Amino acid sequence: MTPDLTTDLIPAGRDAAQAAARVLARGGLVAFPTETVYGLGADATDARAVARLYAAKGRPAFNPLIAHVNDLDTARRIARFDARSLRLAEAFWPGPLTLVLPKAAGCPVCDLATAGLATIAVRVPAHPVAQDILRAFGRPVVAPSANLSGHVSPTTAAHVRSDLTGRIDLIVDGGPVTVGVESTIVGGFDKPLLLRPGGLPRAAIEQVLGIRLVRPAEQTETAATAHPLAPGMLASHYAPHTPVRLDARDLKAGEALLAFGPHPLAGADAGRTLNLSDSGDLVEAAANLFGHLRHLDTTGARAIAVMAVPDDGLGEAINDRLRRAAVPQH
Ligand code: TXA
Ligand code: MG
């Protein structure tokens, strides 16, 4: 399916941004850090590059992708902002927020990247390495999380390498990411919708808008798109291979433990226990979530028992990802 590529891994730095821009310009695929998760980038204006990106991820369908640009002025060339979306962009960009907006006239992003929709998802990432690459390249870059489809999103370059070696051209290593869950996605600005909870807490957005965000009735990432995936497929988007048991109040034999807070459940092997945050800090928990799931997935446990995480702040995004991780695999 995907040709066998040589995947280079280079440390972040000025030369890396130039190297990444060269690979993107020839239609290649570059994984790079954003503050949320590592993204797998392709030239958003090049349909062949975008097609290669879907193939490299092994995506089951052509999901619409997020176009990344380095500032609001550039974003305004690809999407039409109204007063509300502009207020959010000014308050939170660069940062872990994606806005779904009508495409601007003459938007150069290819139809494959937006799955033929009249809207486009846009984000200005804050990570300096992402910023350097976007500036060096000078065109929008589509970037889904840099994992194989169905796997947990990568928060380190090593995660990217283990999923995508031989399938992409370049990995730029900028160390572990800081946020750890994907961006919050907001759309439908006459009646603002929280399409995906993520790294920017809902309350921060509601405060700027002065109204409550509604979640689409169907709690799936693509509920508002014209190409919904089969619910089961989408629901298990973030799943590790090991079964996940939520809201664990005790441990069963052979289970690994994903703990939260200062009082982890007793009885798990030391080698099979990780705590999202000893102090119960949701920001720290988000940053640890995908890495800890990946690690516990390698311990040979019969299941991963997950302690309850409160639903406020980043907890909404953490619990959304945990619920998806708990959907049985086929
Ligand atoms: O933090 C992030 O957002 C990361 C980093 C790399 O930037 N990217 C990411 O991309 O999570 P991805 O492809 O895994 O998620 C994109 C989400 C999907 O749920 C997709 O359905 C939604 O954005 N999306 C894209 N375009 C859309 C549109 N026009 N309308 C509604 N949803 C859209
Ligand atoms: Mg993803």
Side-chain angles (χ1 to χ4, degrees), residues 180-259:
V181 290
E182 297 86 345
S183 59
T184 301
I185 305 183
V186 178
F189 282 92
D190 330 323
K191 194 172 148 237
L193 293 172
L194 180 62
L195 297 175
R196 176 176 76 179
L200 181 66
R202 158 208 287 276
I205 298 167
E206 290 176 340
Q207 200 185 358
V208 167
L209 291 180
I211 47 174
R212 235 186 100 68
L213 288 174
V214 180
R215 285 207 67 176
E218 202 193 331
Q219 308 242 320
T220 64
E221 286 185 30
T222 47
T225 74
H227 298 265
L229 296 173
M233 236 157 61
L234 189 73
S236 67
H237 192 95
Y238 294 94
H241 304 290
T242 312
V244 171
R245 188 167 70 82
L246 299 180
D247 292 323
R249 295 203 177 81
D250 53 18
L251 264 170
K252 303 194 198 315
E255 282 187 333
L257 174 63
L258 184 61

Side-chain angles (χ1 to χ4, degrees), residues 32-40 57 59 63-68 96-101 113-115 117-123 125 143-147 153 181-185 187 195-196 199 220-227 234 237-238 321:
F32 61 90
T34 80
E35 70 277 25
T36 56
V37 298
Y38 272 72
L40 177 58
K57 278 197 55 119
R59 278 223 164 173
N63 265 354
L65 301 171
I66 299 171
H68 297 67
L97 172 69
T98 294
L99 301 174
V100 173
L101 299 166
T114 53
L117 299 171
T119 53
I120 185 166
V122 194
R123 161 160 131 80
S145 51
N147 52 278
S153 291
V181 290
E182 297 86 345
S183 59
T184 301
I185 305 183
L195 297 175
R196 176 176 76 179
T220 64
E221 286 185 30
T222 47
T225 74
H227 298 265
L234 189 73
H237 192 95
Y238 294 94
R321 306 306 187 270

